[in-house]
Amino acid sequence: METVQNRSWYFSETLMPLRRGQLGHLGQSPSGVRTCVFSSWTSRVWKSVSTSPTLLRPSGFSLQSQWGLSSTEQDYAQMEDLNDQWRLSHVNRDYCVCPSYPPAVIVPRAIDDEALLKVAKFRQWGRFPVLCYYHKPNGMVIMRSSQPLTGANKKRCREDELLLQAVIDSSEKGYIIDTRSSQQAQQARMTGGGFESKSSYSCWKRLHRQLERGKVLQESLIKLVEACGDHSDSVDRWLSKLENSKWLSHVHNALATAGLAAECVERDGHSVLVHGSEGTDTTLLVSSLARLILDPSSRTLPGFLALLEREWVQAGHPFQQRCAHSAYSHARIRQEAPVFLLLLDCVWQLAHQFPLAMGFSEALLIRLASDAYASNYGTFLCNSDQERCALGVKERTHCLFQALLTHRERECYLNPLYEPTELAIWPSVQPQSLQLWRGLFLRWTQHTRHLEEAQEEIRSLVLECRGAGRVSGELDP
C-alpha cells in the first residue's frame, strides 16, 4: 500500500482532510477533489488490512512493539486501592462472552466468573457491568454496561442483582443513569430489553437522561455542516440554520448528563452505573466525560489518550460503522452516527471553559476528529478489539496514540498554558457558555485562520518566556 505523504488536499468546505496518498483509493485526482463526495478512507480499507503490510511506517516504530498505550492488566496493577474490593477477570479471554469487550475486565471481587457468565446473558450483547473509573478521594466508582434483558415478562437475574449490590456494599445507595428517556426504556421492554426495576434493585435509584444517537445525531451533524458552508450574507439565516441543526443541544445534553454522573460520585458520594441500550455509544460518551471532569490525570496529554484507548477503542465503540462517511456524503448509513465527534466537541467545550486545566491543545482534538474518518494508523479500524485481532490490525499497523506521544508529535499538541489542578472542573451548560467549535467546523474560514495564527504566536511567546525562566534559574547562584 502506498505510504501516505504529508501533503494534504481538502474539499472546499468540508471539515475532514483527505491526504494525497488516499486519493488513489478513492479514484480521484487532485484536480477533481472539490467535486467528489467524501467517503471515509478508513472504512473502505479496513477489510483489506490482512493483505497489506502496513498503512504507515513512522520512523522509530517497530511492528514488534506493544500496540497501544496500556492494557487492562496494566491499569489494574496501578490501582492498589482496588485490590480489596475489585479483581481482574479473564472470563472474556477468547471474546466468547462479550465480543465487544477486551479479554480482561475489572469486576467486584465478590462476583466469580461463573456468575459473570449468567450476568452476561442477562445484558444486551453480553456487556455486563464493568469498572471504568475509580474515584480515589472517596472510593466511589463509575461502571458501564448495556441494558438488562428484562423483557415484557420482567425477567430477573439474581447474579446481576448481586453484582450491583456488591458495588455499593459500603454505601447506602447507587445511581443508574440511563441515557434513554423513561418512555424509550419502557418501549425497549416490548422488544426484549428493559431497565432495572425498583423492586429488584432497591438500593439503586434510576435517572433517565435522553441522549440522541444514530440517525438523529447524524442528521444534526449534516445540518450543522450545511449551515457552516452557507456563504449568504444574512446573519439571521445562518443563526437559524445553526439552531435548527440542534448540534449544540446535543452538546448541552451530553455535558449535563456527564456532570450529573460526576456530581453523584464527587458531591453525593455514591457510585454510578451508566447504560443506554447497547452500551457502545452514549454510555461511553457519559462515562468518559464524567471521568474527565473528576480525574486530573485524564486531563494530561498521555492520560487523555489513554482514556480514549480504554473507553472507546478497547471498550468496543464501533468506529467502522459509526464513522463510515462524513457529513458531506450523500449516503445514509443506518448505523452511522458522529458520537465520537460529539465527545471531542464536548471536550473542546471543557477546554474552552477551563483553558488552564487541559494539558493538550485544540489541535489534538482536531487531529483526532480527522483521523477517526481518514487515518494513516490502525487505531480507529474495525468495530471491536476482537475484529482487530482477527484481521491482524495490531500486527500490520501502528497505533495513533503512541505516535502522538513521540517527542516530535507531542510538542505540537501540548497546551503551553497548562496548570495542573486536583479539583474537579464543573462545566457550565448555560446557552451562553456553549459555543460552536469554530476551530473544526469553520476551520477553513479566514477568521479562524487568523485565530490560529494568533494562538500559535501566543504559544511561541509562552514557550519562549518559560525557556528564559529556566535559563535564568540555572544561572542564579
Side-chain angles (χ1 to χ4, degrees), residues 361-383:
S361 65
E362 179 186 21
L364 174 71
L365 301 178
I366 295 175
R367 171 70 184 273
L368 292 170
S370 298
D371 273 63
Y373 287 87
S375 181
N376 302 329
Y377 297 86
T379 300
F380 297 128
L381 292 179
C382 306
N383 294 311

mmCIF file of all heavy atoms in Angstrom, residues 361-383:
data_model
loop_
_atom_site.group_PDB
_atom_site.id
_atom_site.type_symbol
_atom_site.label_atom_id
_atom_site.label_comp_id
_atom_site.label_asym_id
_atom_site.label_seq_id
_atom_site.Cartn_x
_atom_site.Cartn_y
_atom_site.Cartn_z
ATOM 1 N N SER A 361 -3.925 20.570 23.562
ATOM 2 C CA SER A 361 -4.474 21.729 22.862
ATOM 3 C C SER A 361 -5.621 21.338 21.939
ATOM 4 O O SER A 361 -5.910 20.159 21.730
ATOM 5 C CB SER A 361 -3.368 22.403 22.035
ATOM 6 O OG SER A 361 -2.935 21.520 20.999
ATOM 7 N N GLU A 362 -6.250 22.359 21.367
ATOM 8 C CA GLU A 362 -7.329 22.141 20.402
ATOM 9 C C GLU A 362 -6.827 21.376 19.182
ATOM 10 O O GLU A 362 -7.570 20.600 18.573
ATOM 11 C CB GLU A 362 -7.905 23.485 19.973
ATOM 12 C CG GLU A 362 -9.023 23.385 18.952
ATOM 13 C CD GLU A 362 -9.479 24.749 18.447
ATOM 14 O OE1 GLU A 362 -8.697 25.714 18.576
ATOM 15 O OE2 GLU A 362 -10.612 24.832 17.934
ATOM 16 N N ALA A 363 -5.564 21.575 18.829
ATOM 17 C CA ALA A 363 -5.001 20.893 17.664
ATOM 18 C C ALA A 363 -5.100 19.381 17.798
ATOM 19 O O ALA A 363 -5.300 18.674 16.802
ATOM 20 C CB ALA A 363 -3.546 21.319 17.463
ATOM 21 N N LEU A 364 -4.959 18.868 19.008
ATOM 22 C CA LEU A 364 -5.072 17.421 19.223
ATOM 23 C C LEU A 364 -6.493 16.945 18.917
ATOM 24 O O LEU A 364 -6.688 15.914 18.264
ATOM 25 C CB LEU A 364 -4.716 17.062 20.671
ATOM 26 C CG LEU A 364 -4.940 15.587 21.033
ATOM 27 C CD1 LEU A 364 -3.904 14.720 20.347
ATOM 28 C CD2 LEU A 364 -4.917 15.378 22.533
ATOM 29 N N LEU A 365 -7.492 17.692 19.374
ATOM 30 C CA LEU A 365 -8.880 17.299 19.153
ATOM 31 C C LEU A 365 -9.219 17.310 17.670
ATOM 32 O O LEU A 365 -9.925 16.418 17.177
ATOM 33 C CB LEU A 365 -9.811 18.235 19.921
ATOM 34 C CG LEU A 365 -9.597 18.295 21.443
ATOM 35 C CD1 LEU A 365 -10.551 19.306 22.069
ATOM 36 C CD2 LEU A 365 -9.783 16.919 22.081
ATOM 37 N N ILE A 366 -8.713 18.292 16.945
ATOM 38 C CA ILE A 366 -8.940 18.353 15.503
ATOM 39 C C ILE A 366 -8.249 17.194 14.802
ATOM 40 O O ILE A 366 -8.807 16.573 13.890
ATOM 41 C CB ILE A 366 -8.451 19.706 14.939
ATOM 42 C CG1 ILE A 366 -9.296 20.844 15.514
ATOM 43 C CG2 ILE A 366 -8.504 19.713 13.417
ATOM 44 C CD1 ILE A 366 -8.824 22.225 15.109
ATOM 45 N N ARG A 367 -7.053 16.855 15.253
ATOM 46 C CA ARG A 367 -6.329 15.713 14.669
ATOM 47 C C ARG A 367 -7.105 14.420 14.901
ATOM 48 O O ARG A 367 -7.243 13.589 13.987
ATOM 49 C CB ARG A 367 -4.942 15.624 15.313
ATOM 50 C CG ARG A 367 -4.151 14.358 14.962
ATOM 51 C CD ARG A 367 -3.692 14.344 13.525
ATOM 52 N NE ARG A 367 -3.025 13.099 13.177
ATOM 53 C CZ ARG A 367 -1.726 12.865 13.350
ATOM 54 N NH1 ARG A 367 -0.934 13.807 13.878
ATOM 55 N NH2 ARG A 367 -1.199 11.713 12.983
ATOM 56 N N LEU A 368 -7.647 14.222 16.089
ATOM 57 C CA LEU A 368 -8.410 13.015 16.390
ATOM 58 C C LEU A 368 -9.695 12.952 15.571
ATOM 59 O O LEU A 368 -10.086 11.885 15.096
ATOM 60 C CB LEU A 368 -8.722 12.955 17.883
ATOM 61 C CG LEU A 368 -7.534 12.746 18.818
ATOM 62 C CD1 LEU A 368 -7.953 12.952 20.270
ATOM 63 C CD2 LEU A 368 -6.929 11.350 18.627
ATOM 64 N N ALA A 369 -10.348 14.110 15.410
ATOM 65 C CA ALA A 369 -11.570 14.153 14.599
ATOM 66 C C ALA A 369 -11.281 13.768 13.155
ATOM 67 O O ALA A 369 -12.055 13.038 12.522
ATOM 68 C CB ALA A 369 -12.179 15.551 14.665
ATOM 69 N N SER A 370 -10.161 14.215 12.629
ATOM 70 C CA SER A 370 -9.784 13.881 11.258
ATOM 71 C C SER A 370 -9.435 12.404 11.127
ATOM 72 O O SER A 370 -9.875 11.728 10.201
ATOM 73 C CB SER A 370 -8.594 14.738 10.817
ATOM 74 O OG SER A 370 -8.927 16.106 10.833
ATOM 75 N N ASP A 371 -8.653 11.898 12.057
ATOM 76 C CA ASP A 371 -8.193 10.510 11.970
ATOM 77 C C ASP A 371 -9.316 9.509 12.186
ATOM 78 O O ASP A 371 -9.219 8.372 11.733
ATOM 79 C CB ASP A 371 -7.069 10.260 12.980
ATOM 80 C CG ASP A 371 -5.712 10.607 12.416
ATOM 81 O OD1 ASP A 371 -5.484 11.783 12.095
ATOM 82 O OD2 ASP A 371 -4.874 9.706 12.268
ATOM 83 N N ALA A 372 -10.363 9.896 12.885
ATOM 84 C CA ALA A 372 -11.486 8.986 13.082
ATOM 85 C C ALA A 372 -12.154 8.651 11.750
ATOM 86 O O ALA A 372 -12.742 7.575 11.595
ATOM 87 C CB ALA A 372 -12.510 9.603 14.032
ATOM 88 N N TYR A 373 -12.031 9.554 10.764
ATOM 89 C CA TYR A 373 -12.633 9.330 9.458
ATOM 90 C C TYR A 373 -11.623 8.923 8.392
ATOM 91 O O TYR A 373 -11.972 8.204 7.455
ATOM 92 C CB TYR A 373 -13.373 10.597 9.005
ATOM 93 C CG TYR A 373 -14.660 10.834 9.752
ATOM 94 C CD1 TYR A 373 -14.677 11.535 10.951
ATOM 95 C CD2 TYR A 373 -15.866 10.337 9.267
ATOM 96 C CE1 TYR A 373 -15.858 11.747 11.648
ATOM 97 C CE2 TYR A 373 -17.053 10.529 9.958
ATOM 98 C CZ TYR A 373 -17.043 11.233 11.146
ATOM 99 O OH TYR A 373 -18.219 11.422 11.837
ATOM 100 N N ALA A 374 -10.397 9.378 8.489
ATOM 101 C CA ALA A 374 -9.384 9.050 7.489
ATOM 102 C C ALA A 374 -8.023 9.084 8.160
ATOM 103 O O ALA A 374 -7.498 10.149 8.447
ATOM 104 C CB ALA A 374 -9.439 10.036 6.334
ATOM 105 N N SER A 375 -7.471 7.909 8.427
ATOM 106 C CA SER A 375 -6.254 7.834 9.236
ATOM 107 C C SER A 375 -5.177 7.002 8.573
ATOM 108 O O SER A 375 -5.451 6.075 7.801
ATOM 109 C CB SER A 375 -6.582 7.235 10.607
ATOM 110 O OG SER A 375 -5.430 7.172 11.416
ATOM 111 N N ASN A 376 -3.937 7.334 8.888
ATOM 112 C CA ASN A 376 -2.790 6.551 8.446
ATOM 113 C C ASN A 376 -2.473 5.410 9.414
ATOM 114 O O ASN A 376 -1.574 4.616 9.161
ATOM 115 C CB ASN A 376 -1.544 7.441 8.343
ATOM 116 C CG ASN A 376 -1.747 8.605 7.396
ATOM 117 O OD1 ASN A 376 -2.499 8.498 6.433
ATOM 118 N ND2 ASN A 376 -1.088 9.717 7.675
ATOM 119 N N TYR A 377 -3.192 5.357 10.522
ATOM 120 C CA TYR A 377 -2.912 4.384 11.581
ATOM 121 C C TYR A 377 -4.091 3.419 11.733
ATOM 122 O O TYR A 377 -5.161 3.615 11.158
ATOM 123 C CB TYR A 377 -2.642 5.105 12.896
ATOM 124 C CG TYR A 377 -1.420 6.002 12.844
ATOM 125 C CD1 TYR A 377 -1.523 7.310 12.385
ATOM 126 C CD2 TYR A 377 -0.173 5.525 13.225
ATOM 127 C CE1 TYR A 377 -0.406 8.135 12.310
ATOM 128 C CE2 TYR A 377 0.956 6.340 13.157
ATOM 129 C CZ TYR A 377 0.826 7.640 12.694
ATOM 130 O OH TYR A 377 1.938 8.442 12.619
ATOM 131 N N GLY A 378 -3.888 2.382 12.532
ATOM 132 C CA GLY A 378 -4.899 1.342 12.672
ATOM 133 C C GLY A 378 -5.807 1.490 13.875
ATOM 134 O O GLY A 378 -6.663 0.632 14.098
ATOM 135 N N THR A 379 -5.643 2.547 14.642
ATOM 136 C CA THR A 379 -6.375 2.698 15.904
ATOM 137 C C THR A 379 -7.886 2.694 15.723
ATOM 138 O O THR A 379 -8.612 2.080 16.510
ATOM 139 C CB THR A 379 -5.935 3.993 16.612
ATOM 140 O OG1 THR A 379 -4.530 3.929 16.869
ATOM 141 C CG2 THR A 379 -6.677 4.174 17.925
ATOM 142 N N PHE A 380 -8.377 3.378 14.706
ATOM 143 C CA PHE A 380 -9.820 3.511 14.525
ATOM 144 C C PHE A 380 -10.384 2.535 13.485
ATOM 145 O O PHE A 380 -11.497 2.716 13.008
ATOM 146 C CB PHE A 380 -10.167 4.946 14.125
ATOM 147 C CG PHE A 380 -9.810 5.955 15.175
ATOM 148 C CD1 PHE A 380 -9.040 7.072 14.866
ATOM 149 C CD2 PHE A 380 -10.230 5.801 16.491
ATOM 150 C CE1 PHE A 380 -8.705 8.008 15.832
ATOM 151 C CE2 PHE A 380 -9.895 6.728 17.465
ATOM 152 C CZ PHE A 380 -9.135 7.832 17.137
ATOM 153 N N LEU A 381 -9.605 1.518 13.134
ATOM 154 C CA LEU A 381 -10.116 0.494 12.235
ATOM 155 C C LEU A 381 -11.004 -0.486 13.004
ATOM 156 O O LEU A 381 -10.820 -0.709 14.189
ATOM 157 C CB LEU A 381 -8.967 -0.268 11.593
ATOM 158 C CG LEU A 381 -8.086 0.498 10.596
ATOM 159 C CD1 LEU A 381 -6.970 -0.389 10.076
ATOM 160 C CD2 LEU A 381 -8.907 1.039 9.433
ATOM 161 N N CYS A 382 -11.968 -1.065 12.317
ATOM 162 C CA CYS A 382 -12.840 -2.121 12.851
ATOM 163 C C CYS A 382 -13.807 -1.601 13.914
ATOM 164 O O CYS A 382 -13.855 -0.405 14.209
ATOM 165 C CB CYS A 382 -12.013 -3.276 13.394
ATOM 166 S SG CYS A 382 -10.838 -3.936 12.196
ATOM 167 N N ASN A 383 -14.562 -2.534 14.481
ATOM 168 C CA ASN A 383 -15.607 -2.192 15.449
ATOM 169 C C ASN A 383 -15.309 -2.661 16.863
ATOM 170 O O ASN A 383 -16.033 -2.290 17.791
ATOM 171 C CB ASN A 383 -16.941 -2.785 15.007
ATOM 172 C CG ASN A 383 -17.446 -2.162 13.725
ATOM 173 O OD1 ASN A 383 -17.479 -0.946 13.587
ATOM 174 N ND2 ASN A 383 -17.822 -2.991 12.759
#
